Amino acid sequence: MTWNKDTVLELSARFTLSRILISAAEIDLFSKLKDGPKTVEQLCADEGWSERALRILLDALAAQELVRKADDGTYSLDASLVPALTKDSAESILPMLLHRGSMWKTWSNLTEIVKNGKSPDPNAFEARPREQIEAFIGAMHVIGRDLADKIADSVDLSPFTRMIDVGGASGTYTIAFLRKAPHLNATLVDRPEVVEMARTRLAREQLLDRVKLVGLDFQNDPLPAGHDLALVSAIIHQNDSEENRVLYRRIHDCLITGGAILIRDHVMDPSRTTPVDGAVFAVNMLVATPGGNTYTLEEITEDLQSTGFTDVRLIRSGERMDHLVMASKAR
């Protein structure tokens, strides 16, 4: 990108396109168009929306070719977009779009946070409405479902027989690891309400008999013992360094001697500007958590070693949240 006044102005206006898409997702507009063309009047009669407002929103979506507008004034969703934008599809990205809506609210506080250093009241997970929790967990699945298999393929799982997935959400990565390694069994720990979401997905994948589900607060509660591999996927960025050290100690305690910890997250270069997605994601942690950040390999290594792990190494690099760091519990 070559920056000049025109490209900077273009960047400053991109939020308008995102807001149009997010608002359409929040009212589940695309699902209402999947079965065929509808007029503004039909949609508003069903939902009680404002005709003027909906027509303006739909025209903006049509201008971006996210919906089609016919000569008779009806609107429809292209068949190619139905799997991605409707709520009942297995390929739906709607949970991520809804999560972006939640992010919109927290990111709106960025200016004040930079001025005073404090997030005004970052929403604790347990304080979020259920629909927001479901959107967040669903969003993590949207991100992970294509990446998880690649992550599993990056690791030699042959030495391990019992994995613990710490903060395993709805089981996306547990599923990928179990599919790759038929000899592997797993324990998935997360908050009780999240574990029930995992139960549904694991049952659908016919893997429930190989997974023990444990509902707990992994940031504060002891972890079940007896594992030889601990997966910590997209967790450490939520914490400050001391919180990560506390978590690493719990994980160290739950591993057998010779076991290993596997961390998936952004790993920043020493300048903290690469990968770009990691630098931007650090801002997301600034606005959404009291102390979260993205970390360099040196920082991760220091925290792991302080809690008893050895042989810390980077085993996978990438531009997304697809770096892998592995360390061992000394024999």
Side-chain angles (χ1 to χ4, degrees), residues 160 228-230 248 251-252 255-256 258-263 297 300-301 303-305 307-315 324-330:
F160 307 109
D228 54 11
L229 177 66
Y248 294 155
I251 292 170
H252 192 274
L255 290 171
I256 63 173
I261 183 173
L262 180 67
I263 297 169
L297 181 59
I300 294 169
T301 299
D303 289 343
L304 285 168
Q305 289 178 340
T307 56
F309 285 100
T310 62
D311 190 25
V312 183
R313 64 266 189 204
L314 183 69
I315 66 170
L324 291 177
V325 176
M326 184 170 267
S328 302
K329 179 174 179 176

Side-chain angles (χ1 to χ4, degrees), residues 96 99-100 103 106-107 110 128 136 139-140 143 233-239 264-268 272-289 291-295 319-322:
M96 177 52 77
H99 178 52
R100 301 285 193 218
M103 289 174 61
T106 55
W107 276 69
L110 178 58
R128 299 179 188 180
F136 175 75
M140 297 308 98
I143 292 174
S233 180
I235 298 295
I236 69 168
H237 58 245
Q238 302 171 25
N239 299 333
R264 178 186 75 88
D265 219 294
H266 289 296
V267 177
M268 304 304 296
R272 308 191 64 83
T273 62
T274 301
V276 173
D277 282 359
V280 173
F281 195 83
V283 181
N284 191 37
M285 293 300 94
L286 173 65
V287 300
T289 68
N293 207 338
T294 52
Y295 296 100
E319 295 301 315
R320 299 167 62 191
M321 198 183 292
D322 53 355

Side-chain angles (χ1 to χ4, degrees), residues 42-312:
Q42 287 172 322
L43 290 164
C44 290
D46 292 340
E47 302 295 337
W49 297 331
S50 159
E51 290 186 12
R52 171 179 175 271
L54 183 62
R55 182 173 287 105
I56 289 173
L57 180 66
L58 279 164
D59 285 344
L61 290 166
Q64 297 176 71
E65 300 183 347
L66 284 165
V67 300
R68 290 179 173 177
K69 184 177 183 181
D71 291 341
D72 62 0
T74 59
Y75 299 86
S76 61
L77 183 64
D78 190 279
S80 65
L81 288 176
V82 168
L85 294 179
T86 57
K87 65 181 179 182
D88 295 327
S89 166
E91 300 175 37
S92 178
I93 62 169
L94 270 183
M96 177 52 77
L97 298 183
L98 295 175
H99 178 52
R100 301 285 193 218
S102 298
M103 289 174 61
W104 186 281
K105 296 180 177 67
T106 55
W107 276 69
S108 295
N109 298 316
L110 178 58
T111 303
E112 290 307 309
I113 292 170
V114 171
K115 287 179 179 179
N116 60 41
K118 289 185 179 180
S119 184
D121 184 21
N123 237 353
F125 189 88
E126 59 270 18
R128 299 179 188 180
R130 180 168 181 82
E131 62 271 16
Q132 197 176 105
I133 293 174
E134 290 178 351
F136 175 75
I137 297 301
M140 297 308 98
H141 177 65
V142 168
I143 292 174
R145 63 190 172 199
D146 295 329
L147 181 58
D149 289 337
K150 297 176 184 176
I151 294 296
D153 286 340
S154 301
V155 185
D156 177 9
L157 295 175
S158 60
F160 307 109
T161 60
R162 188 75 194 181
M163 175 182 82
I164 182 168
D165 189 350
V166 181
S170 60
T172 307
Y173 283 83
T174 294
I175 290 166
F177 277 58
L178 293 182
R179 280 177 175 167
K180 185 194 174 185
H183 66 283
L184 189 65
N185 289 299
T187 301
L188 186 152
V189 299
D190 214 314
R191 294 182 181 275
E193 63 270 34
V194 177
V195 161
E196 292 311 307
M197 299 179 200
R199 190 185 306 279
T200 300
R201 182 159 284 130
L202 288 160
R204 190 183 306 134
E205 298 292 333
Q206 299 183 327
L207 290 169
L208 200 51
D209 60 332
R210 294 170 60 194
V211 184
K212 181 180 180 181
L213 296 169
V214 180
L216 52 74
D217 178 359
F218 62 84
Q219 297 283 15
N220 295 298
D221 299 332
L223 299 172
H227 302 88
D228 54 11
L229 177 66
L231 175 62
V232 188
S233 180
I235 298 295
I236 69 168
H237 58 245
Q238 302 171 25
N239 299 333
D240 62 27
S241 177
E242 183 51 41
E243 288 171 326
N244 278 329
R245 292 186 182 205
V246 170
L247 178 60
Y248 294 155
R249 289 187 194 102
R250 287 199 182 90
I251 292 170
H252 192 274
D253 290 343
C254 87
L255 290 171
I256 63 173
T257 301
I261 183 173
L262 180 67
I263 297 169
R264 178 186 75 88
D265 219 294
H266 289 296
V267 177
M268 304 304 296
D269 78 342
S271 77
R272 308 191 64 83
T273 62
T274 301
V276 173
D277 282 359
V280 173
F281 195 83
V283 181
N284 191 37
M285 293 300 94
L286 173 65
V287 300
T289 68
N293 207 338
T294 52
Y295 296 100
T296 66
L297 181 59
E298 181 179 3
E299 290 167 333
I300 294 169
T301 299
E302 183 178 339
D303 289 343
L304 285 168
Q305 289 178 340
S306 76
T307 56
F309 285 100
T310 62
D311 190 25
V312 183

